[in-house]
Amino acid sequence: MVFWRSKKKSDASPATDSAAADTPTADTPTADVAAAQPAGSTRQDAASPTESSAGLFGRLRSGLEKTRRALNTDIRDLFKDEGRLVDDEFLGELFAKLIRTDMGAGPAEELRDDVAKRFRGRKVGLDEVLESITTQTQAMLRQDAAPLNLSGKPSVILVVGVNGSGKTTSIGKLSHYLTSHGKKIVLGAGDTFRAAAVEQLTIWSQRIGCDIVTGNQGADPASVAFQTVDKAIETGADVAIIDTAGRLQTQSKLMQELDKIRRVVGKKVDDAPHEVLLVLDATAGQNAISQAKGFSDAAGCTGIILAKLDGSARGGVILPIRRQFELPVKFVGLGESIEDIAEFDADSFATALFAD
């Protein structure tokens, strides 16, 4: 059985992704939804207005504080007051420091080799090396413009990722982001095998002030997805965001479940799903890549949300993620509050990662 809960503003704080609950509170049917948008929201045609570069840089710098502090301390330790000769010894030490950010051997080698090409045989200071690394990182992270595809009416977004990756929290942040930019949202609690996920998403919906569709524990996720899109059409919502199961399982079973969800939402809205976003945990480092590979292959992902960047000194993992998945990074999670999500910008990210 599938239920839906009407939007209602709440000051409750969402539970963490690791929280457990015996019975999801969302499994009780409630009254009809109100059609009005949340108070204070403003309808806009664009998916999101451009954030000022200064504002985005400030948020990225704050979110990447741990990575930047660790990296700059490590690289600064390579230098003396009068500078350092760029020789094989220095380049080997620099490579070791870069590896510690979890960027992997390939990107670390490219950054080291760029420093060698520019400065070998010269005595250089910290600022010159950081500038070289920043410039090369920007080039490695650049991607074609990849705004959210919100071409549907409603647009349907599936969110996938392993348990504990920050998936439910990222859905809440993304929903708040879109709502604050004038979009009317309906959430679908499609991770029906984990009661805590349903409860957490319900708390997020109450806090944001958007509708949510849920099902009994163990209900068919495709049924929840179908009813979510149906409710979005009925209420005139702009976007339906659907959570999916994060349990690790055989790839064939995962593909069957996700394929079924794709088919049922496609019956309701042409070209749905319009986005399939893969949530990766930056604190998991290289493990995030191997854990999420099956989801990426099975789900036909269109973009990445890199979560928990603020909780790790290993933000360099974004480099192998971009290379491994060949998917655009669309959003980054930068903190614990509901506002701590930002559209990804390669130049701002790289500058914030290495800025002294």
Side-chain angles (χ1 to χ4, degrees):
M1 182 176 292
V2 175
F3 305 106
W4 61 271
R5 181 178 290 271
S6 62
K7 59 187 174 186
K8 181 180 179 182
K9 281 285 188 180
S10 169
D11 294 329
S13 297
T16 63
D17 281 329
S18 59
D22 294 329
T23 305
T25 58
D27 279 347
T28 303
T30 57
D32 289 345
V33 297
Q37 294 186 70
S41 67
T42 303
R43 177 75 62 178
Q44 297 185 11
D45 293 331
S48 58
T50 302
E51 183 173 8
S52 70
S53 57
L56 177 59
F57 175 76
R59 295 177 66 197
L60 286 169
R61 183 182 173 89
S62 177
L64 293 170
E65 177 66 26
K66 289 184 180 180
T67 301
R68 185 177 65 257
R69 187 187 305 124
L71 185 59
N72 285 357
T73 298
D74 284 349
I75 295 178
R76 187 179 287 107
D77 288 345
L78 300 177
F79 289 86
K80 302 175 182 179
D81 291 340
E82 66 274 14
R84 178 78 184 268
L85 178 68
V86 177
D87 55 12
D88 289 342
E89 180 182 1
F90 171 81
L91 292 170
E93 293 174 9
L94 176 63
F95 176 79
K97 302 296 187 184
L98 293 171
I99 284 288
R100 291 180 60 181
T101 70
D102 256 339
M103 66 175 58
E109 287 174 354
E110 289 185 34
L111 295 176
R112 178 203 62 197
D113 292 348
D114 186 68
V115 170
K117 180 180 179 181
R118 292 172 182 248
F119 304 118
R120 182 181 285 277
R122 288 177 48 192
K123 183 175 285 188
V124 296
L126 173 66
D127 290 345
E128 291 176 287
V129 171
L130 286 179
E131 181 181 0
S132 171
I133 293 173
T134 300
T135 300
Q136 186 67 7
T137 301
Q138 288 173 338
M140 293 163 68
L141 288 177
R142 276 194 193 106
Q143 59 189 31
D144 293 336
L148 281 180
N149 176 10
L150 301 182
S151 60
K153 186 60 179 177
S155 299
V156 181
I157 299 174
L158 302 185
V159 183
V160 303
V162 299
N163 286 337
S165 64
K167 181 164 55 76
T168 306
T169 299
S170 295
I171 291 172
K173 290 179 179 180
L174 178 61
S175 300
H176 175 266
Y177 177 88
L178 292 173
T179 299
S180 67
H181 291 98
K183 301 300 180 183
K184 185 176 179 180
I185 308 297
V186 174
L187 298 180
D191 190 355
T192 58
F193 293 89
R194 195 165 64 97
V198 178
E199 182 178 9
Q200 291 157 28
L201 206 59
T202 300
I203 294 172
W204 276 113
S205 72
Q206 293 169 347
R207 187 176 179 190
I208 296 163
C210 65
D211 304 329
I212 185 169
V213 175
T214 68
N216 288 321
Q217 187 169 358
D220 182 6
S223 178
V224 174
F226 183 89
Q227 294 297 327
T228 301
V229 177
D230 196 47
K231 181 55 61 178
I233 293 170
E234 178 186 330
T235 60
D238 299 297
V239 185
I241 303 178
I242 302 168
D243 191 10
T244 62
R247 64 195 184 284
L248 291 172
Q249 53 186 317
T250 64
Q251 187 171 348
S252 61
K253 187 174 181 180
L254 176 66
M255 288 181 69
Q256 290 171 9
E257 183 173 301
L258 292 174
D259 282 346
K260 186 176 180 181
I261 292 174
R262 282 177 164 277
R263 290 196 307 271
V264 300
V265 299
K267 290 178 181 178
K268 297 294 294 184
V269 180
D270 290 341
D271 299 324
H274 302 90
E275 291 278 5
V276 181
L277 301 180
L278 173 64
V279 178
L280 296 179
D281 177 1
T283 66
Q286 295 291 313
N287 287 335
I289 298 174
S290 59
Q291 288 176 355
K293 188 66 167 66
F295 280 92
S296 178
D297 292 342
C301 296
T302 58
I304 290 170
I305 299 176
L306 188 59
K308 305 183 187 179
L309 273 171
D310 62 304
S312 172
R314 301 181 295 180
V317 73
I318 194 170
L319 290 166
I321 282 173
R322 280 282 296 121
R323 178 170 296 179
Q324 173 87 16
F325 291 101
E326 298 183 347
L327 291 171
V329 178
K330 299 210 172 190
F331 289 91
V332 288
L334 300 169
E336 296 181 358
S337 75
I338 196 170
E339 296 87 4
D340 287 333
I341 190 170
E343 290 185 85
F344 176 73
D345 176 78
D347 288 354
S348 297
F349 188 96
T351 302
L353 188 62
F354 296 105
D356 196 8

